[in-house]
């Protein structure tokens, strides 16, 4: 499926409804031109709670984009019937999706296409490694901040421009839909990067475990201490040095990504869903759908 075909399918679904609007934003690469879609609930009042979700920032991780496409009407109905408004970026890396690669059509990884914020440490330096839950810092900055001079891919810079225009004070939850194709040897399984009160998320993880096993007590290097080539393959990996998942598959890792940004910005619920590459696509999408419904339920109950 091309990105244009994907967007046409979603556009037909959106136009059949009266409660959504959407816009397309240009992504210009050396290899060609693509577009990024942003879907928004038509009326977001100043007191409305908002859930933001994003799919497939890594182009080969198709489950995110397919979850949003396949469950689209159910997803929107589920949120709107509970008074929750939505901002959806369904296909975050359209050129990578179309070409079946982790990064964009130029294979421009830059500092990472999910590199959203950087931490200034207490000694004044900008940290390059991830922060654990007990690590301290003095402030965070967008990775596109001119003072940092960080090379970022086109889609990453566009995302940072767009989210600044979102009603961030009203974002109660953010969900970033991923798959793990870079951790060698994983069986069909799920795990999750999350922040804040994990206890309220554990019942959702228990439902996920009915679909695929949870990856418990695993030293997750994914992107940490690894060298990944332009096609998203791990070519070198340190022994240890990662972040351990708990018994329910949760990892608390302040890695400066999309979900980390929304947590720092005040979203009560912010997480990244992960299923292994060995997980059948239907089950990977179902895991994402379980998380989406569960998070919407939590936001609606607050």
């Amino acid at each position: 499926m091309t990105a244009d075909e994907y967007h046409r399918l979603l556009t037909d679904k959106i136009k059949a409804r009266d409660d959504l609007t959407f816009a397309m934003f240009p992504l210009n690469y050396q290899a060609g031109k693509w577009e990024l879609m942003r879907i928004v609930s038509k009326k977001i009042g100043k007191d409305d709670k908002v859930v933001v979700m994003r799919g497939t920032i890594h182009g080969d991780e198709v489950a995110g984009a397919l979850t949003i496409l396949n469950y689209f009407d159910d997803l929107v109905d589920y949120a709107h019937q509970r008074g929750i408004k939505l901002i959806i970026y369904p296909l975050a890396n359209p050129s990578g999706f179309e070409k079946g690669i982790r990064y964009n059509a130029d294979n421009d990884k830059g500092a990472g296409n999910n590199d959203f914020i950087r931490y200034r440490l207490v000694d004044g330096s900008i940290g390059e490694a991830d922060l654990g839950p007990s690590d301290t810092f003095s402030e965070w900055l967008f990775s596109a901040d001119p003072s940092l001079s960080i090379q970022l891919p086109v889609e990453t810079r566009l995302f940072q421009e767009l989210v600044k225009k979102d009603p961030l004070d009203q974002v109660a939850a953010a969900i970033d839909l991923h798959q793990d194709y870079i951790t060698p040897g994983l069986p069909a399984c799920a795990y999750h990067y999350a922040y804040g009160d994990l206890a309220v998320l554990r019942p959702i993880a228990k439902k996920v475990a009915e679909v695929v096993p949870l990856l418990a007590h695993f030293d997750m290097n994914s992107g940490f201490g690894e060298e990944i080539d332009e096609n998203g393959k791990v070519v070198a990996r340190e022994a240890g040095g990662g972040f351990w998942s708990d018994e329910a598959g949760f990892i608390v890792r302040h890695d400066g990504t999309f979900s980390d940004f929304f947590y720092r910005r005040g979203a009560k619920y912010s997480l990244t869903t992960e299923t292994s590459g060995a997980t059948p696509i239907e089950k990977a999408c179902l895991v994402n759908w379980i998380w989406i419904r569960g998070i919407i339920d939590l936001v609606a109950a607050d």
Side-chain angles (χ1 to χ4, degrees), residues 48-88:
D48 286 333
K49 299 173 183 176
V50 177
V51 173
V52 177
M53 64 187 70
R54 183 180 74 164
T56 308
I57 185 60
H58 299 136
D60 56 343
E61 299 178 6
V62 299
L66 294 182
T67 299
I68 293 170
L69 176 64
N70 294 338
Y71 288 94
F72 187 74
D73 285 315
D74 290 338
L75 188 164
V76 177
D77 288 342
Y78 200 86
H80 285 180
Q81 289 168 3
R82 288 157 179 77
I84 306 303
K85 301 304 173 68
L86 297 167
I87 298 174
I88 304 173

Side-chain angles (χ1 to χ4, degrees), residues 17 56 58 62 94 121 128 139 149 164 181 285:
R17 308 182 62 99
T56 308
H58 299 136
V62 299
L121 305 182
E128 295 186 359
E139 65 173 341
S149 300
K164 291 176 183 178
Y181 282 105
C285 290

Side-chain angles (χ1 to χ4, degrees), residues 73-137:
D73 285 315
D74 290 338
L75 188 164
V76 177
D77 288 342
Y78 200 86
H80 285 180
Q81 289 168 3
R82 288 157 179 77
I84 306 303
K85 301 304 173 68
L86 297 167
I87 298 174
I88 304 173
Y89 300 96
L91 181 53
N93 181 4
S95 70
F97 170 84
E98 186 169 307
K99 293 182 177 296
I101 57 177
R102 183 175 181 84
Y103 303 114
N104 60 39
D106 292 340
N107 266 322
D108 178 16
K109 174 185 176 182
N113 63 352
N114 198 17
D115 188 334
F116 230 75
I117 63 174
R118 291 296 179 94
Y119 290 100
R120 190 180 304 280
L121 305 182
V122 292
D123 64 1
S125 65
I126 297 296
E128 295 186 359
D130 299 5
L131 300 183
S134 61
D135 292 330
T136 58
F137 64 97

Side-chain angles (χ1 to χ4, degrees), residues 163-212:
V163 299
K164 291 176 183 178
K165 300 174 183 178
D166 289 341
L168 294 175
D169 291 340
Q170 296 173 240
V171 174
I175 309 170
D176 202 16
L177 306 174
H178 283 245
Q179 287 175 280
D180 184 349
Y181 282 105
I182 65 174
T183 303
L186 289 183
C189 64
Y191 65 96
H192 3 273
Y193 296 102
Y195 311 97
D197 183 5
L198 300 185
V200 299
L201 301 178
R202 293 187 188 280
I204 307 174
K206 187 175 181 180
K207 292 180 181 178
V208 168
E210 297 173 4
V211 179
V212 292

Side-chain angles (χ1 to χ4, degrees), residues 149-168:
S149 300
I150 294 174
Q151 179 188 352
L152 295 171
V154 173
E155 66 276 8
T156 306
R157 290 189 175 276
L158 176 59
F159 259 110
Q160 293 186 33
E161 294 174 10
L162 293 178
V163 299
K164 291 176 183 178
K165 300 174 183 178
D166 289 341
L168 294 175

